Amino acid sequence: MNKQQLAARIWRGANQMRSKIEASEYKDYILGFIFYKFLSEQEVDFLKDRGWDDEDVAALSEDDTKDVEFVQHNLGYFISYDNLFLTWLAKGSDFSISDVRDALGAFERLIEPDFAHVYEGIFDTLDTGLSKLGDSAAHQTKAVSGLLALIDPIPMDGREGYDVLGFVYEYLIGKFAANAGKKAGQFYTPHEVAILMSEIIANHLRGSEEIDIYDPTSGSASLLLTIGQSVARRCGNPEAIHYYAQELISGTYNLTRMNLVMRGVRPANITSKNADTLADDWPLESNSDKPLLVDACVSNPPYSQKWAQPDGSDPRFDGYGLAPRGKADYAFLLHNLYHLRPGGIMTIVLPHGVLFRGGTEGEIRERLLEEGNIDAVIGLPPNIFFGTGIPTVIMVVKKDKTSRDVLLVDASRGFVKDGKQNRLRARDIRRIVDAYEARKNIDKFAHVASYDEIEHNEFNLNIPRYVDSSPDAEPVSLYATMFGGVPTAEIDGLDAYWEALPNLRSSLFDEHNGFGAVNVDDVPAAVRTFAVRGDCRIIQ
């Protein structure tokens, strides 16, 4: 099933559910049941790979302690045959909403304690939402039956080559962004932006053997996963990557864990927490007051969010200052920076205002520049994120940089329209990454600003101060405008064509006194005539 087919199926289900639930809540049900199907099939495949047949699977029961412990030890959870997704479907008209409630309760009860950090409460959003699907058990059963039939053909084996859960989430957020409000765009990072951030981080970590990456506003985990995949391609060992994720919104926190598991991350490599990142600093090393330091931090936090400043000293902000109460952007940045180990790198998406706003933000920015922490600023196109059209930037920050210069990239013009959103193309991403790696001035695109230059600009990092990306004004010939003809200078600008097609220029233009009059009625036909008869030269 390709993405277009999956999108059509998911949208059909959304239309069926419109009369039962709020459109923006639909994703909670569809994603929850997709994940339950994944876990069911994963357990069956695990057992069959070890010699179990259909009869053995049909005998799976939590009464058999040996089987329960065997599955729990390897997968971290246990689902009896009666509670498998395939069994729900096989029941047909005998299926009831109570089957789902019983299964979700049993799942929670049978989680292996060592895996509780991954699975505990992961279906809470789905479980508590079942009652919204109808005012009676019969109506709820009918609604869920429709969802199960809708989900059944969706592939779970990873052979489709794309992130099924992440794609469904992105698709629904895009469809329901108007209903979900601006917050929808604040916990989903479009895949193209994630790829850009991941390429920068992965190149920096190339050659590392053990890697810890952390997202303090993890959302759907799409950003963490994309970073992990890019890093794994370079280090060659996906098992060497440990993922740390923190998310405030409980339903989204559950999605973080679902997506990490569905994308093949071992539970032992997942450490997650449902808490307010700024109010509840995390993670800490066990039996220690020292923070866990990681190799890379990535985040797309909610923009300019209000936050409660700490009453006393907070090591995360010591030496830099506190972000204003009405704008937590620099609080998130400093939180990430604090958790980097020496040699670490972070990328963070922030609103454009962090580059030039004054007050305490200006003081923090000046301190970061003095310390040489800010490595690069990449200006993104508008309308990249769902739910907001404000200009955004990616800031690349390092723990210990040897110089204090800053690379500024104006990538605001490189995109393609995709419905109401703008989207980075592969060539746009490649151009940005190449500019970051080359770290040199590129006309109308990139500029390496020295510390003295930045200081002269009063520590204002507004990109247009350093990169003039305005298009060149085209020269206008008053004579040609009034009397016709093409200026010879403009004809000279097409010299590559004249070299490839000798004699074409003289056939098209009669040139005198700096202007050329067009000799033919149909220029494209004349060019084709030259090409067809082979009157051309191969240019090396």
Side-chain angles (χ1 to χ4, degrees):
M1 183 181 297
N2 61 35
K3 290 183 177 181
Q4 291 73 25
Q5 294 168 328
L6 177 55
R9 174 168 287 274
I10 295 301
W11 187 241
R12 187 163 64 250
N15 287 327
Q16 294 171 2
M17 300 290 286
R18 282 185 188 276
S19 62
K20 301 177 179 66
I21 56 173
E22 291 290 331
S24 59
E25 294 179 339
Y26 170 62
K27 67 181 184 304
D28 297 329
Y29 298 92
I30 200 79
L31 294 170
F33 279 120
I34 286 175
F35 186 62
Y36 194 85
K37 178 177 187 281
F38 168 81
L39 294 180
S40 295
E41 293 185 1
Q42 178 178 250
E43 179 176 294
V44 172
D45 291 343
F46 169 78
L47 294 173
K48 287 189 173 181
D49 286 345
R50 283 150 183 79
W52 290 45
D53 57 25
D54 289 338
E55 290 186 3
D56 295 327
V57 172
L60 268 178
S61 168
E62 64 177 281
D63 294 333
D64 191 328
T65 305
K66 184 177 179 180
D67 287 345
V68 171
E69 291 179 351
F70 173 68
V71 175
Q72 285 178 326
H73 176 74
N74 286 278
L75 299 181
Y77 63 91
F78 175 83
I79 302 175
S80 67
Y81 178 78
D82 289 341
N83 292 333
L84 290 172
F85 189 93
L86 63 86
T87 308
W88 290 348
L89 291 173
K91 287 187 175 183
S93 59
D94 291 331
F95 170 77
S96 169
I97 191 67
S98 62
D99 293 322
V100 177
R101 289 197 170 93
D102 292 344
L104 297 181
F107 180 88
E108 187 75 11
R109 188 177 66 252
L110 296 171
I111 296 171
E112 167 66 36
D114 290 342
F115 292 77
H117 66 287
V118 176
Y119 294 115
E120 191 172 48
I122 204 165
F123 290 112
D124 282 356
T125 305
L126 176 61
D127 193 16
T128 56
L130 293 175
S131 59
K132 298 180 182 180
L133 296 178
D135 54 9
S136 67
H139 288 156
Q140 294 166 13
T141 297
K142 183 178 179 181
V144 171
S145 295
L147 282 176
L148 299 184
L150 182 83
I151 291 169
D152 183 41
I154 296 177
M156 298 288 138
D157 54 13
R159 287 184 296 181
E160 298 298 312
Y162 63 90
D163 172 3
V164 170
L165 205 66
F167 172 77
V168 172
Y169 182 72
E170 176 183 3
Y171 177 77
L172 293 177
I173 285 293
K175 285 291 187 181
F176 300 136
N179 292 335
K182 290 185 177 180
K183 289 184 178 179
Q186 292 174 347
F187 50 72
Y188 182 77
T189 305
H191 186 57
E192 294 78 18
V193 177
I195 290 176
L196 171 57
M197 298 169 78
S198 72
E199 288 296 298
I200 291 172
I201 286 179
N203 285 337
H204 179 80
L205 297 178
R206 187 189 300 272
S208 302
E209 294 183 0
E210 296 286 335
I211 297 168
D212 298 316
I213 55 178
Y214 171 40
D215 188 343
T217 55
S218 57
S220 69
S222 64
L223 187 49
L224 264 180
L225 284 164
T226 307
I227 300 291
Q229 290 162 1
S230 293
V231 170
R233 283 196 298 271
R234 288 161 175 80
C235 75
N237 181 16
E239 303 298 326
I241 304 171
H242 196 109
Y243 298 80
Y244 294 88
Q246 184 165 354
E247 173 58 43
L248 173 61
I249 302 171
S250 59
T252 314
Y253 166 69
N254 291 336
L255 179 59
T256 287
R257 297 183 291 168
M258 290 180 189
N259 216 2
L260 288 168
V261 171
M262 278 193 70
R263 294 297 288 170
V265 179
R266 292 192 306 130
N269 284 12
I270 300 172
T271 303
S272 60
K273 188 176 182 181
N274 180 202
D276 186 328
T277 292
L278 298 182
D280 186 14
D281 183 24
W282 176 88
L284 297 175
E285 293 180 350
S286 59
N287 302 319
S288 172
D289 291 332
K290 295 181 180 179
L292 176 68
L293 300 179
V294 298
D295 301 289
C297 280
V298 293
S299 60
N300 176 22
Y303 308 142
S304 300
Q305 177 178 272
K306 293 181 180 179
W307 73 300
Q309 296 172 325
D311 295 329
S313 176
D314 189 315
R316 294 175 294 175
F317 314 121
D318 287 350
Y320 291 93
L322 293 176
R325 294 182 186 275
K327 292 181 172 65
D329 303 312
Y330 273 111
F332 282 111
L333 185 152
L334 293 174
H335 171 91
N336 292 12
L337 178 60
Y338 174 71
H339 285 287
L340 289 182
R341 60 171 50 107
I345 186 174
M346 60 167 278
T347 57
I348 183 171
V349 181
L350 294 171
H352 206 263
V354 300
L355 303 180
F356 53 80
R357 290 194 297 243
T360 53
E361 288 188 301
E363 294 170 5
I364 295 171
R365 185 171 61 249
E366 180 177 346
R367 184 61 178 160
L368 287 165
L369 290 164
E370 288 175 348
E371 292 295 316
N373 296 129
I374 299 178
D375 186 50
V377 176
I378 301 167
L380 297 174
N383 295 314
I384 284 286
F385 296 92
F386 294 115
T388 179
I390 65 172
T392 53
V393 299
I394 294 173
M395 291 188 73
V396 184
V397 181
K398 292 183 177 179
K399 190 76 169 185
D400 44 4
K401 200 156 69 82
T402 56
S403 67
R404 294 194 293 179
D405 60 20
V406 177
L407 173 69
L408 297 108
V409 179
D410 186 348
S412 62
R413 297 178 182 274
F415 62 88
V416 64
K417 292 289 293 182
D418 187 1
K420 295 181 180 179
Q421 302 299 131
N422 294 331
R423 181 169 53 82
L424 294 172
R425 297 160 294 190
R427 71 187 191 193
D428 301 320
I429 297 170
R430 187 70 263 159
R431 187 185 185 200
I432 297 168
V433 173
D434 286 348
Y436 176 80
E437 293 297 318
R439 204 171 185 82
K440 62 183 181 180
N441 295 335
I442 301 173
D443 188 42
K444 296 188 177 299
F445 188 67
H447 177 72
V448 181
S450 68
Y451 180 81
D452 290 343
E453 184 180 359
I454 296 170
E455 185 178 30
H456 178 74
N457 280 312
E458 299 178 330
F459 301 100
N460 186 320
L461 290 178
N462 200 15
I463 296 174
R465 285 184 176 238
Y466 304 90
V467 182
D468 178 12
S469 61
S470 58
D472 292 326
E474 299 224 355
V476 176
S477 169
L478 182 61
Y479 181 91
T481 301
M482 295 177 64
F483 301 106
V486 182
T488 299
E490 293 185 21
I491 299 175
D492 290 341
L494 302 173
D495 59 336
Y497 294 95
W498 313 139
E499 185 178 356
L501 298 169
N503 303 320
L504 176 60
R505 178 171 179 166
S506 60
S507 297
L508 296 180
F509 298 101
D510 183 13
E511 298 180 57
H512 295 286
N513 301 321
F515 291 89
V518 180
N519 285 332
V520 298
D521 294 328
D522 190 339
V523 172
V527 174
R528 283 194 296 271
T529 298
F530 270 80
V532 168
R533 73 189 189 200
D535 189 8
C536 59
R537 180 181 301 142
I538 302 299
I539 305 300
Q540 298 297 329

